[in-house]
Amino acid sequence: MKILRRILALVMTVGSLAFAQHVAAQEAPDALVKRISQEVWDLAKADKEIQAGNQKRVRDLVETKILPYVDFQRMTSLAAGPDWHKATPEQQKQLTSEFRALLVYTYSGAISQIRDQKVAFKPMRTDPANTDVEVRSEVAQPRGELMQLNYRLEKLADGWKIYDINIMGAWLVETYKSSFTTEISKGGIDGLIKVLSDKNKNLAASAVK
């Protein structure tokens, strides 16, 4: 009987995940970003440990609520520019992994600062047939300052994925592109991978202090 209940629970879990993936695949890009933002905002403000600075809880929130909707390979390839195509498949994999880890720390730092900010999304005017769009929003700080926060998304087989973020007029990919180019010119793709790896190790060490 216990085995039967476990099998039933597993089937229900798998079914729920499949349904969630199906819903996400059907979501409009602006609806997707709004939903993710609202979920992250609500959870971050309600979680006392996140508010107290528990970095593990923050990273768990990033991993479960944000990262499934981010196309890290495209983000990394754009930041690496033409050098991406010179890298071997293994180097591309390592570079994407290290850049992903770095962005997790970046997202986590931003989420740690969530308090009483409010997000307002601007109307999205685009052709329904478009597969590459921009979703625009503004974040109102407690003192009234407005921060621009826009997203670029692409439509893939499993739904819309974020591949770039604009904060206060600066696109994340462009911000990293110049530093990536500099590191590649000095030490090649392996040199860039090492730089990112060392930075992630330092961030990890700081997070546990």
Side-chain angles (χ1 to χ4, degrees), residues 29-30 33-34 37 119-126 133-139 147-153 166 171:
D30 53 340
V33 176
K34 286 178 184 178
S37 300
V119 185
F121 285 87
K122 298 181 179 180
M124 192 180 78
R125 298 179 178 86
T126 184
V133 302
E134 181 178 338
V135 175
R136 298 177 300 152
S137 72
E138 286 183 338
V139 180
M147 182 183 78
Q148 177 185 336
L149 185 59
N150 299 345
Y151 307 82
R152 282 178 176 155
L153 297 91
N166 184 312
W171 287 101

Side-chain angles (χ1 to χ4, degrees), residues 111-130:
I111 289 174
S112 297
Q113 303 303 313
I114 291 178
R115 293 295 184 271
D116 296 319
Q117 300 92 333
K118 298 183 184 300
V119 185
F121 285 87
K122 298 181 179 180
M124 192 180 78
R125 298 179 178 86
T126 184
D127 189 316
N130 286 349

Side-chain angles (χ1 to χ4, degrees), residues 25 30 33 44 58-59 61 77 79-80 83 94 114 125 134 166 168 176:
D30 53 340
V33 176
V58 176
R59 288 195 298 276
L61 178 59
S77 68
D83 292 298
Q94 291 178 17
I114 291 178
R125 298 179 178 86
E134 181 178 338
N166 184 312
M168 297 295 288
Y176 280 102

Side-chain angles (χ1 to χ4, degrees), residues 93-112:
K93 181 180 178 181
Q94 291 178 17
L95 183 56
T96 301
S97 177
E98 293 297 344
F99 193 34
R100 180 186 187 278
L102 179 60
L103 292 176
V104 167
Y105 287 111
T106 302
Y107 289 142
S108 298
I111 289 174
S112 297

Side-chain angles (χ1 to χ4, degrees), residues 22-88:
H22 174 74
V23 170
Q26 302 300 316
E27 253 181 322
D30 53 340
L32 174 67
V33 176
K34 286 178 184 178
R35 177 174 62 81
I36 297 169
S37 300
Q38 192 62 55
E39 288 178 358
V40 170
W41 238 257
D42 290 345
L43 288 170
K45 288 195 290 187
D47 192 314
K48 293 180 180 179
E49 292 195 40
I50 288 179
Q51 293 294 308
N54 186 321
Q55 290 302 302
K56 183 180 183 305
R57 289 294 285 268
V58 176
R59 288 195 298 276
D60 286 345
L61 178 59
V62 171
E63 290 277 357
T64 57
K65 294 296 182 180
I66 298 177
L67 301 196
Y69 304 102
V70 179
D71 185 349
F72 283 103
Q73 181 162 317
R74 183 173 182 188
M75 189 178 281
T76 308
S77 68
L78 290 173
D83 292 298
W84 173 260
H85 300 290
K86 301 175 186 177
T88 66

